């Protein structure tokens, strides 16, 4: 058979005929062959694979070898033995050199064929020695990448024990010898792919054997700190940086900067080469390590190295800004180098000649990413020109080029320079590190940004500052439970009691991240909040249902909860009854909204009540930015007040009664004007369909203050009134009236029938651009009232039905026929409208220009009542609805009284700014002015706490002598975990103090505590902003 195959592949027969015969040869592998015949066939196929003259011969060799090896496994095991493999690796194969990649590929495939044979263990032992020899010979990137593929598939071939350390060190040296001389894109992409495979192999070894990490990093530093002129280590070493744990920054940088054996020349060379790594397209965290090393050198006062490196590399770093893949890291390093180089304009003036060309180039391409980049760059340039004034001949062309971009304030510039100076870097190695020196003066704990997790951090801090909710979570007895609520309780406990300045919520993030959220990418904080509340609600509801149906206690393990969750759709079909106990989420955030539709032809009405956890407020149309006031639709027709006029405004064109099916089970849906939305897709749809409808009626106040130029500033009250304003359903949006048995014009109103304890409002800032098919951000400023009056209309006829989440509506129906299911009632209930006052508790701010990028941070304050946190008050402590607009806006209005009370007690000043790991004191004035000061920083999610007039405003009344500041005592399990971590933290601080004592006695400057935020944009996330990018110290607001 081997002779037939050999003659066939070398014959001149047509290729299709050859393929047919080869198929017959492959099929014949099932037949019995003796040892000699099998060996002859293996010899031939090996020769075809390794020395085949064309791809067809090599393909035939692979096909036949795999077939015969499968059916004649013992014979192939005898052929593919230790001696044969060793000969291939050390001597090659006939004309092939031993370092030919084809030999390594052949061995790789051979191992796959005999993986189940006992002799494979001998081959593993052989390869452990041979692969170490191969890397010591400094193979080319292609061969090294193939070797990495083999070792990734067969980890048994990786050297073990002490040899594994040697192997990693030699592999690092091999990477340092990699070079690609080609300038063609295809070859460059292949080169980067090969290097990535090798670095991934090292990462896997480091994870499997942590003892290999430190020796490998020492080898990296030895390579880049070499001062010999004959060797220039490859930039490919940058591919290893992303695999080094960021938690090691503190230890490694301190070790490098304080090691007396590291000479200044070696450190200078190493730093320069690390800056060169910014050119590597796929490298991550290079800028973080470079900036950390720069700050570490400043902390030990090695200013000569900093000056030499800055002057030597500043132009190279600036040139990296031209390349999109490496631009964020380059801008971060450039910003730090320029802002810290404060003793001379020399470094800045080196790049001045290149600024104008760069600005013009990015202005001309018109890309949003280019515009965002230019905003950061021009702010940096403004800072430098302010600091080094007196060179008009150099700066005038730059000022002309950047005249259309915002200029930072003088206060901001001063703050940035004071925080960036070399002399401000203490031995704590600055704020780029995750472990800082202790809690800020606020006493609050920050949350470390885990990589674009500011959307989670801002929401968690807002929920934590919701005092009653926090106390309820902390008081739950969840011992032995592994639910999401347990993880939230753990997180809240650490935020309340840890001594660290910032806590890393890794476990909670992994448990609470929606499955469709891409890790390490920016997400919508409102979408995350809905998902989180929905998960917590469903988890508790399902557990309670199963507990009530089983006499034995149901375990609360994560596995059991997942099993229960699989049955959730069945449970979801059962509406909530008045007998079911509300979940914590329902008690705290649940409200009810009634949709009322009146046919304008026969005047019959249909209505339904649904649950909500947040209201999504659309912006009033541009043609009607006057202040809107809520008025009962039943009385709006007869209103004759002189200050009010009935007018037509923009309204949505959604189908009437469009609802998400999950709303029937309280899916934490967001009530949007015209629809109830609980899914992210529905949220976007409802937001994007806000288009003009000429028939929507609302009431408009003409006597409202205006900004200069006649432009009004809408308030949250305006948006809420617009949400609740009546809407006329006409044209394509007509309502199907069962009484008329046809589509009719109808009036649709929405009324809140039950208010939540905490009211969540989401401002719909992301509109859909139908021309460019992108979501754009609405940057309009919105006035945030400290006290918000929520119109609540309770009805007597609905009192018995209000406990149900749905009324005569099948929520599984589509939006097309949902309105048809609304049953005409034909009666008008007697409404009892009241205004329920709410106090502003927290504000989540989005900084940026799109929903897919930017940064989130939050303002919050403590608001607590006198009631026991174990007994949530659901009484209707409301104020009578005023009969006219003048009364609503007058001095004696409920909101005015409450605001005056707040001012008397100075509650409005007790605000905190939570910006990832940074927490600072702030004021309500800063909250109000945030958008006017920083136009891209806009309020997005608001949290209001219902005010009970009997509470008073003193928030820290403990309900028990055991409750500290009103918070319940922790479970023993939680307290033990916190105590253990606090002890560990104290040991770390002691070790740091001992290390600092060994350093230079004349430390330049002590660490300054965080101060006020009023001069620094909270949206920035550098050393002044708390952890993720922005300002001039890190990548910027588009990367976290």
């Amino acid at each position: 058979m081997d002779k037939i195959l050999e003659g066939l592949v070398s014959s001149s027969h047509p290729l299709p005929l050859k393929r047919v015969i080869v198929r017959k040869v492959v099929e014949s592998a099932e037949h019995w062959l003796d040892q000699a015949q099998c060996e002859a066939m293996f010899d031939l196929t090996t020769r075809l694979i390794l020395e085949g003259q064309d791809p067809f011969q090599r393909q035939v060799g692979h096909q036949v070898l795999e077939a015969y090896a499968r059916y004649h496994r013992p014979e192939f095991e005898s052929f593919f033995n230790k001696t044969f493999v060793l000969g291939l690796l050390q001597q090659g194969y006939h004309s092939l050199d031993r370092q030919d990649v084809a030999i390594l590929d052949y061995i790789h495939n051979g191992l796959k064929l005999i993986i189940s044979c006992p002799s494979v263990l001998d081959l593993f032992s052989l390869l452990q020695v041979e692969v170490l020899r191969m890397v010591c010979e400094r193979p080319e990137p292609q061969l090294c990448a193939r070797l990495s593929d083999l070792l990734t598939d067969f980890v048994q071939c990786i050297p073990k024990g002490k040899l594994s350390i040697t192997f990693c060190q030699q592999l690092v040296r091999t990477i340092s010898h990699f070079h690609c001389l080609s300038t063609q894109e295809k070859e460059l992409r292949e080169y980067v792919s090969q290097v990535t495979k090798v670095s991934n192999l090292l990462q896997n070894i480091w994870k499997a054997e942590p003892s290999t990490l430190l020796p490998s990093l020492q080898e990296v530093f030895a390579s880049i700190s070499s001062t010999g002129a004959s060797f220039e280590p490859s930039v490919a070493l940058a591919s290893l940086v992303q695999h080094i744990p960021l938690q090691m920054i503190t230890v490694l940088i301190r070790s490098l900067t304080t090691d007396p054996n590291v000479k200044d020349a070696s450190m200078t060379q190493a730093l320069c080469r690390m800056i060169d790594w910014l050119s590597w397209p796929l490298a991550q965290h290079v800028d973080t390590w470079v900036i950390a090393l720069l700050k570490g050198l400043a902390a030990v006062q090695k200013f000569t190295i900093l000056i030499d490196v800055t002057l030597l590399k500043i132009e190279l770093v600036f040139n990296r800004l031209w390349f999109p893949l490496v631009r964020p890291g380059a801008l971060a390093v450039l910003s730090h180098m320029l802002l810290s180089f404060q003793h001379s304009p020399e470094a800045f003036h080196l790049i001045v000649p290149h600024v104008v060309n760069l600005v013009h180039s990015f202005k001309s391409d018109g890309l949003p990413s280019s515009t965002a980049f230019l905003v950061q760059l021009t702010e940096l340039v403004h800072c430098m020109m302010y600091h080094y004034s007196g060179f008009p001949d150099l700066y005038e062309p730059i000022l002309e080029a950047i005249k259309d971009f915002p200029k930072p304030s003088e206060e901001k510039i001063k703050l940035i320079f004071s925080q960036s100076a070399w002399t401000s870097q203490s031995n704590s190695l600055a704020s780029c590190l995750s472990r800082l020196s202790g809690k800020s003066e606020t006493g609050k704990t920050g949350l470390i940004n885990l990589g674009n997790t500011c959307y989670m951090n801002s929401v968690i801090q807002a929920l934590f500052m919701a005092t009653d909710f926090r106390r309820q979570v902390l008081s739950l007895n969840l011992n032995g439970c592994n639910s999401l609520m347990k993880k939230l309780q753990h997180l809240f406990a650490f935020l309340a009691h840890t001594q660290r300045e910032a806590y890393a919520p890794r476990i909670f993030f992994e448990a609470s991240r929606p499955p469709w959220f891409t890790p390490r990418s920016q997400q919508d904080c409102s979408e995350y909040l809905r998902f989180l509340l929905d998960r917590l609600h469903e988890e508790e509801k399902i557990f309670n249902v199963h507990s009530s149906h089983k006499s034995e206690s149901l375990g609360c393990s994560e596995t059991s909860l997942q099993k229960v969750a699989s049955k959730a759709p069945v449970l979801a079909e059962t509406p909530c009854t008045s007998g079911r106990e509300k979940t914590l989420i329902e008690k705290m955030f649940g409200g009810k909204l009634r949709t009322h539709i009146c046919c304008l032809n026969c005047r019959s009405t249909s209505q339904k009540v649904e649950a909500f956890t947040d209201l999504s407020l659309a912006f009033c149309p541009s043609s009607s930015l006057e202040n809107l006031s809520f008025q009962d639709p039943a009385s709006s027709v007869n209103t004759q007040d002189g200050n009010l006029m009935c007018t037509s405004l923009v309204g949505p064109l959604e189908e009437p009664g469009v609802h998400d099916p999950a709303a029937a089970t309280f899916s934490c849906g967001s009530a949007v004007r015209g629809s109830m939305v609980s899914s992210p897709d529905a949220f976007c749809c409802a937001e994007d369909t806000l288009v003009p409808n000429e028939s929507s009626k609302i009431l408009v106040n003409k006597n409202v203050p205006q900004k200069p130029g006649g432009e009004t500033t809408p308030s949250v009250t305006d948006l809420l009134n617009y949400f609740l304003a009546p809407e006329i359903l006409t044209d394509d949006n007509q309502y199907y009236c069962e009484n008329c048995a046809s589509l009719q014009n109808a009036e649709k109103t929405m009324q809140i029938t039950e208010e939540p304890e905490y009211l969540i409002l989401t401002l719909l800032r992301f509109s859909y651009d139908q021309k460019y098919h992108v979501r754009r951000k609405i940057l309009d400023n919105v006035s945030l009232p400290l006290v918000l009056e929520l119109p609540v209309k309770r009805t007597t006829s609905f009192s018995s039905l209000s406990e149900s989440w749905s009324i005569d509506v099948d929520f599984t129906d589509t939006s097309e026929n949902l309105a048809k299911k609304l049953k005409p009632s034909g009666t008008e209930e007697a409404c009892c409208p009241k205004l329920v006052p709410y106090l502003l508790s927290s504000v989540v701010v989005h900084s940026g220009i799109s929903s897919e990028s930017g940064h989130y941070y939050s303002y919050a304050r403590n608001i607590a009542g006198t009631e026991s946190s174990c007994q949530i008050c659901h009484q209707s402590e409301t104020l009578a609805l005023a009969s006219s607009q003048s009364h609503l806006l007058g001095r004696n209005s409920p909101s005015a009284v409450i605001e005056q009370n707040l001012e008397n007690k100075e509650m409005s000043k007790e605000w905190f700014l939570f910006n990832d790991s940074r927490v600072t004191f702030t004021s309500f004035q800063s909250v109000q002015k945030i958008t006017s000061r920083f136009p891209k920083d806009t309020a997005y999610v608001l949290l209001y706490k219902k005010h009970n007039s009997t509470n008073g405003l003193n928030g820290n009344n403990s309900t028990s002598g055991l409750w500290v500041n009103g918070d319940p005592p922790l479970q023993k399990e939680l307290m033990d975990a916190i105590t253990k971590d606090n002890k560990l933290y104290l040991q770390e601080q002691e070790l740091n103090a001992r290390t600092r004592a060994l350093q230079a006695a004349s430390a330049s400057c002590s660490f300054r505590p965080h101060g006020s935020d009023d001069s620094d944009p909270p949206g920035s996330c550098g050393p002044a902003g708390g952890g993720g990018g922005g300002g001039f110290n890190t990548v910027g607001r588009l990367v976290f």
Side-chain angles (χ1 to χ4, degrees), residues 130-284:
E130 286 301 305
V131 295
L132 178 57
R133 176 190 59 79
M134 291 178 66
V135 298
C136 290
E137 294 176 352
R138 307 292 174 255
E140 292 298 315
Q142 184 183 18
L143 180 61
C144 205
R146 299 296 179 85
L147 179 63
S148 299
D149 288 337
L150 188 152
L151 296 179
T152 300
D153 288 344
F154 298 99
V155 294
Q156 302 93 330
C157 299
I158 299 175
K160 307 299 180 184
K162 293 184 178 179
L163 288 181
S164 64
I165 296 177
T166 305
F167 177 76
C168 290
Q169 291 176 319
Q170 292 298 327
L171 198 54
V172 168
R173 292 186 188 180
T174 299
I175 296 175
S176 69
H177 284 79
F178 285 173
H179 291 287
C180 181
L181 302 179
S182 175
T183 57
Q184 299 298 317
E185 182 179 356
K186 182 178 179 181
E187 285 79 5
L188 289 173
R189 286 181 179 273
E190 182 64 25
Y191 173 66
V192 171
S193 175
Q194 293 164 357
V195 173
T196 302
K197 288 182 179 180
V198 181
S199 65
N200 288 340
L201 172 63
L202 266 174
Q203 179 195 22
N204 293 335
I205 298 176
W206 291 345
K207 287 183 177 180
E209 298 189 48
S211 61
T212 61
L213 176 57
L214 189 56
S216 301
L217 298 183
Q218 291 171 341
E219 192 63 41
V220 172
F221 185 76
S223 297
I224 64 175
S225 63
S226 172
T227 56
S230 60
F231 172 67
E232 182 62 31
S234 171
V235 180
L237 286 171
S239 63
L240 300 177
V241 174
Q242 60 188 328
H243 303 312
I244 305 173
L246 290 177
Q247 295 88 338
M248 297 185 67
I249 289 184
T250 303
V251 176
L252 293 179
I253 297 301
R254 182 178 289 119
S255 175
L256 286 176
T257 55
T258 59
D259 188 348
N261 297 319
V262 179
K263 305 303 180 184
D264 284 1
S266 297
M267 181 62 74
T268 301
Q269 194 69 270
L271 184 53
C272 287
R273 285 167 175 161
M274 287 179 65
I275 292 175
D276 291 340
W277 289 352
L278 291 170
S279 304
W280 188 255
L282 300 182
Q284 299 178 13

Side-chain angles (χ1 to χ4, degrees), residues 543-563:
F543 178 76
N544 291 339
V545 169
H546 278 253
S547 297
S548 63
H549 284 74
K550 292 186 178 182
S551 57
E552 57 186 20
S553 60
L554 177 65
C556 194
S557 66
E558 192 167 14
T559 303
S560 65
L561 284 173
Q562 290 174 352
K563 293 180 180 178

Side-chain angles (χ1 to χ4, degrees), residues 833-854:
K834 294 183 180 180
L835 289 180
V836 179
Y838 280 81
L839 307 180
L840 183 60
S841 173
S842 57
V843 180
V844 178
V845 176
H846 178 263
S847 174
I849 58 174
S850 77
S851 59
E852 292 78 21
S853 62

Side-chain angles (χ1 to χ4, degrees), residues 438-470:
K439 278 194 176 182
S440 68
E441 58 187 359
T442 64
K444 301 295 182 182
T445 304
L447 287 171
I448 295 173
N449 194 310
L450 305 177
N452 281 323
T453 58
C454 55
Y455 67 89
M456 176 191 71
N457 292 350
S458 58
V459 165
I460 293 302
Q461 293 287 20
L463 293 177
F464 177 80
M465 294 297 286
T467 308
D468 288 347
F469 177 63
R470 179 183 72 244

Side-chain angles (χ1 to χ4, degrees), residues 169 284 332 373 403 405 455 496-497 509 545 595 607 644 663 751 862 867 942 1005:
Q169 291 176 319
Q284 299 178 13
F373 160 73
K403 63 182 180 181
F405 293 92
Y455 67 89
H497 299 283
F509 171 69
V545 169
T595 302
Q607 53 196 351
L644 301 177
Q751 302 165 351
N862 283 314
E867 297 90 4
L942 312 176
C1005 182

